Amino acid sequence: MKKTVKDIDVSGKRVIVRCDFNVPLKDGVIADDIRISSAMPTIKYLIENGAKVILMSHLGRPDGKADMKYSLKPVADRISEILCKEIIFVSVPEVVNEEVKKRAEGLKSGEVMLLENVRFRKEETKNDAEFSRELAGLADIFVNDAFGTAHRAHASTAGIADYLPAVSGFLIEKEVEFLGNAVENPERPFVAIMGGAKVGDKISVIENLLKKVDTLIIGGGMAYTFFKAQGYEIGTSILDADHVGLAAELLKKAEAAGVKLMLPVDVKVAKEFKNDSIAAYCDLDKIPAEMMGLDIGPKTQSLFVEAVKEAKTVVWNGPVGVFEMPNFAEGTIAVAKALAENTGITVIGGGDSAAAVEQFGLADKMTHISTGGGASLEFLEGKVLPGIACLQDK
Ligand code: ADP
Ligand code: MG
């Protein structure tokens, strides 16, 4: 377990917090501020406990240059609005300069300051020691609460921890507790559901989960590469041709590990990749040559739902069909409902799966929906995340 802000004394200390304020901007206006509001529990805790708060984040990809299109100014304004108080924002291309240092030194307990986009400096993504030291020089304590970038070793996510005591904020604490624990220390039976478009994207996740789960359910586009490996005709379904051999190997590995691997037994096929395409249900061994599988069929839905019912821990990564098209969303809806009804631990670890669950109005029925796309995947792959590894252990 990693120390959190609650495990240290922050009163009167300057605390620099790496947040994920990488919000979508439309014509300079924040289109969705969920990332800002999600950061508030940690920020408010620090304010209430008398810390002098310095916030930092990246926004977009300014490529190491001070491109004002990616200024954090709109974020500063929104934070002021949410907190109902003025926060200090010094927008300088070098992120840290003499004025920034002076303002940081002059902070009073409970005051909040935001630095300019850390990716204005090319040293940020290089995890440069000098830039890490500049950031560390502003504060007494480092808090990482940006899960979405925790898989990156950058100056503001990991390098800075070489120079300051480092702990996690509440967002990272929650990710470690639910996503980390679900995989490393699951209540059994542990069922993982993998879907999405391509096997290639998720090989390492499948390999890691095979070592941990009791049952591995595979749906979505990636299933067709497994069907191909088993010798079935898959028509015009999405195929990851480079990974057919690997799919065959994974099938063998599952058997050797005693993991129950479940693939669809029937599918919903369509002529074209379109919602209103001619469509039909068919058993797996009867996919017509000119059609593509875009969802799981009703028999498969029942099998998957049954498997989820018995689970005490469920991790779901990747929709089991093209849920963006209503005519091919049934399978993903059935899986989402099964998770919603499960009284054990249910964790969603994938951008599109999370979007699906939100879209179906079932988000609040899940134990945890992970917020970091790439970071969640690396967690599921069993990798060490540099932005978490650098934090102090309890
Ligand atoms: P996540 O973001 O949850 O990790 P992915 O990004 O791996 O999920 O995959 C999501 C995409 O997979 C969705 O856009 C969905 O339409 C697509 N998909 C699911 N099933 C199929 C299928 N049978 N054929 C083609 N694409 C599919
Ligand atoms: Mg995705």
Side-chain angles (χ1 to χ4, degrees):
M1 286 298 272
K2 295 294 179 183
K3 279 192 189 167
T4 78
V5 284
K6 287 198 166 159
D7 297 310
I8 49 163
D9 181 14
V10 298
S11 169
K13 304 267 172 54
R14 281 173 303 158
V15 180
I16 189 163
V17 191
R18 175 56 155 99
C19 299
D20 179 2
F21 294 145
N22 187 27
V23 291
L25 285 179
K26 234 183 158 186
D27 305 322
V29 179
I30 298 170
D32 178 355
D33 71 355
I34 177 91
R35 289 196 164 156
I36 301 177
S37 54
S38 321
M40 283 304 146
T42 300
I43 297 170
K44 284 184 178 159
Y45 174 88
L46 291 171
I47 295 172
E48 281 159 17
N49 286 276
K52 305 164 178 175
V53 185
I54 304 165
L55 307 173
M56 60 178 167
S57 174
H58 78 285
L59 174 64
R61 292 170 183 265
D63 290 333
K65 289 186 292 282
D67 182 344
M68 283 303 155
K69 199 166 73 205
Y70 299 107
S71 169
L72 282 171
K73 177 79 171 68
V75 172
D77 293 343
R78 184 59 59 91
I79 297 172
S80 290
E81 261 170 51
I82 296 176
L83 292 175
C84 295
K85 70 177 192 181
E86 206 55 41
I87 72 159
I88 300 164
F89 177 61
V90 188
S91 176
V92 289
E94 58 272 46
V95 184
V96 183
N97 68 0
E98 283 311 315
E99 195 200 340
V100 169
K101 281 186 212 165
K102 224 182 278 159
R103 299 296 290 266
E105 268 162 33
L107 280 173
K108 295 192 191 73
S109 283
E111 283 187 345
V112 180
M113 164 174 183
L114 173 67
L115 304 183
E116 187 51 284
N117 188 342
V118 286
R119 287 197 192 163
F120 279 5
R121 291 277 296 266
K122 60 182 185 313
E123 299 96 322
E124 159 67 1
T125 53
K126 293 185 179 140
N127 196 11
D128 174 74
E130 189 45 47
F131 185 45
S132 302
R133 257 200 301 266
E134 277 179 49
L135 293 170
L138 300 173
D140 308 305
I141 295 166
F142 168 58
V143 173
N144 193 4
D145 212 19
F147 183 68
T149 48
H151 59 314
R152 306 273 181 237
H154 292 168
S156 70
T157 63
I160 183 171
D162 287 344
Y163 309 100
L164 289 177
V167 300
S168 77
F170 299 133
L171 285 176
I172 286 201
E173 179 190 29
K174 200 164 172 245
E175 295 283 357
V176 173
E177 183 179 343
F178 290 111
L179 196 55
N181 255 354
V183 180
E184 296 310 326
N185 207 0
E187 275 220 49
R188 295 184 183 277
F190 175 17
V191 175
I193 306 163
M194 295 292 300
K198 292 204 277 171
V199 194
D201 298 343
K202 295 183 176 174
I203 296 164
S204 326
V205 178
I206 299 177
E207 282 188 326
N208 184 47
L209 289 177
L210 278 179
K211 291 182 240 155
K212 323 261 180 193
V213 299
D214 300 295
T215 302
L216 180 64
I217 294 177
I218 293 183
M222 70 163 69
Y224 299 88
T225 304
F226 285 87
F227 296 152
K228 190 80 181 175
Q230 292 174 320
Y232 290 107
E233 164 69 57
I234 60 164
T236 55
S237 308
I238 186 170
L239 172 68
D240 202 345
D242 297 340
H243 292 116
V244 179
L246 188 110
E249 255 173 60
L250 290 172
L251 290 170
K252 273 195 213 132
K253 270 192 191 165
E255 205 180 318
V259 168
K260 184 171 174 197
L261 194 137
M262 298 175 75
L263 282 158
V265 295
D266 62 342
V267 292
K268 189 172 188 182
V269 292
K271 263 241 149 66
E272 294 169 273
F273 194 81
K274 279 205 303 217
N275 184 49
D276 54 3
S277 164
I278 296 171
Y281 298 104
C282 67
D283 282 346
L284 170 67
D285 55 353
K286 298 194 179 57
I287 300 179
E290 73 288 358
M291 303 207 39
M292 61 182 81
L294 295 183
D295 196 6
I296 56 174
K299 293 179 202 168
T300 306
Q301 281 181 32
S302 307
L303 287 174
F304 287 5
V305 167
E306 274 313 303
V308 168
K309 248 186 207 159
E310 288 162 19
K312 290 240 165 62
T313 305
V314 189
V315 170
W316 182 19
N317 175 281
V320 295
V322 185
F323 77 98
E324 297 93 335
M325 303 184 200
N327 287 338
F328 304 100
E330 293 157 37
T332 304
I333 293 174
V335 168
K337 280 192 178 149
L339 261 78
E341 280 165 21
N342 185 297
T343 50
I345 306 277
T346 49
V347 179
I348 316 293
D352 290 286
S353 338
V357 166
E358 294 276 353
Q359 190 184 308
F360 307 150
L362 297 171
D364 60 347
K365 298 274 192 320
M366 306 298 161
T367 310
H368 178 60
I369 299 180
S370 182
T371 51
S376 321
L377 269 190
E378 292 204 11
F379 228 144
L380 296 177
E381 285 170 18
K383 283 195 188 153
V384 171
L385 276 53
I388 294 177
C390 68
L391 308 176
Q392 291 181 350
D393 289 308
K394 272 197 190 180

